[in-house]
């Protein structure tokens, strides 16, 4: 006998650009008979100076399960990102513990995403990384974060053949 249990997929988004890339996937899961989505929204989405794009997510008709507001730290530039990452790990882990998803989907390479994947991987939640293997021209911290996100994730969806070849050669 087949299980009638719908699988719950947590989807993490931290900024407008990745949300745009996730939009059709969220919509597909929303309309799928065997899947539920739980949307975790954080980072730049919640900041007025970045357009408070959480409002667009709501306007698009997606139910937001968790708003993860990160500390507004006034620390030095050197400490800012590590402190935000540690805050995000704790808060995303608490939300995942409430949601109890069967899997988690993340996109890209930002520090909020890195924190979310640390939380999900350490909680043994199968994690799917979109855009693993991409390379930022000129090299930035994004490449290191993306590589770590890929290493912590269970399944990787790369964007093109060259990215796939680069991921294999890491």
């Amino acid at each position: 006998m087949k299980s009638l249990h719908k699988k719950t997929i947590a989807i993490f988004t931290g900024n407008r650009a990745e949300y745009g890339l996730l939009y059709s996937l969220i919509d597909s899961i929303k309309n799928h008979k065997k899947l539920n989505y739980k949307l975790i929204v954080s980072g730049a989405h919640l900041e007025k100076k970045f357009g408070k794009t959480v409002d667009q997510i709501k306007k698009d008709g997606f139910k937001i399960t968790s708003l993860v507001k990160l500390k507004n730290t006034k620390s030095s530039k050197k400490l800012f990102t590590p402190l935000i990452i540690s805050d995000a790990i704790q808060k995303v882990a608490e939300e995942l513990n409430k949601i109890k998803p069967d899997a988690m989907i993340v996109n890209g390479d930002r520090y909020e995403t890195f924190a979310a994947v640390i939380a999900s991987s350490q909680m043994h939640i199968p994690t799917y990384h979109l855009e693993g293997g991409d390379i930022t021209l000129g090299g930035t911290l994004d490449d290191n974060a993306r590589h770590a996100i890929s290493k912590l994730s269970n399944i990787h969806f790369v964007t093109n053949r060259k990215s796939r070849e680069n991921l294999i050669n890491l």
Side-chain angles (χ1 to χ4, degrees):
M1 178 180 231
K2 290 186 179 180
S3 171
L4 299 176
H5 169 73
K6 284 182 147 186
K7 298 288 184 184
T8 298
I9 310 298
I11 303 168
F12 179 86
T13 180
N15 68 65
R16 177 192 49 79
E18 73 182 27
Y19 169 70
L21 296 167
L22 287 167
Y23 177 91
S24 62
L25 179 62
I26 299 167
D27 194 50
S28 294
I29 293 171
K30 176 184 175 182
N31 294 308
H32 197 284
K33 292 178 182 177
K34 295 182 181 179
L35 299 174
N36 286 320
Y37 75 95
K38 300 291 182 179
L39 194 55
I40 302 170
V41 177
S42 187
H45 284 303
L46 309 179
E47 301 294 330
K48 188 175 182 177
K49 68 181 176 181
F50 296 115
K52 201 171 178 214
T53 51
V54 65
D55 295 335
Q56 182 63 50
I57 296 170
K58 292 174 186 175
K59 185 178 174 183
D60 289 341
F62 296 124
K63 181 182 177 204
I64 297 171
T65 305
S66 304
L67 291 173
V68 178
K69 179 79 173 146
L70 302 176
K71 287 181 190 172
N72 186 5
T73 180
K74 301 284 188 210
S75 60
S76 68
K77 187 175 182 179
K78 188 174 187 175
L79 283 176
F80 178 81
T81 304
L83 292 177
I84 292 292
I85 290 170
S86 66
D87 186 41
I89 293 168
Q90 179 179 344
K91 289 177 178 174
V92 171
E94 290 168 354
E95 293 304 313
L96 290 171
N97 194 49
K98 290 177 196 172
I99 294 168
K100 300 190 182 338
D102 296 294
M104 170 114 138
I105 296 173
V106 299
N107 179 277
D109 54 26
R110 289 183 46 92
Y111 57 84
E112 302 98 326
T113 304
F114 175 54
V117 173
I118 291 173
S120 65
S121 68
Q122 296 308 298
M123 295 173 75
H124 306 285
I125 298 167
T127 304
Y128 301 83
H129 180 207
L130 309 178
E131 295 191 7
D134 285 4
I135 294 176
T136 305
L137 294 177
T140 67
L141 288 176
D142 293 352
D143 288 339
N144 292 339
R146 188 181 311 104
H147 178 69
I149 293 165
S150 288
K151 288 292 190 183
L152 290 166
S153 297
N154 301 92
I155 303 288
H156 315 282
F157 295 95
V158 296
T159 55
N160 60 52
R161 184 179 179 144
K162 184 158 180 74
S163 293
R164 183 171 49 248
E165 291 168 0
N166 288 330
L167 183 61
I168 291 168
N169 292 324
L170 291 176

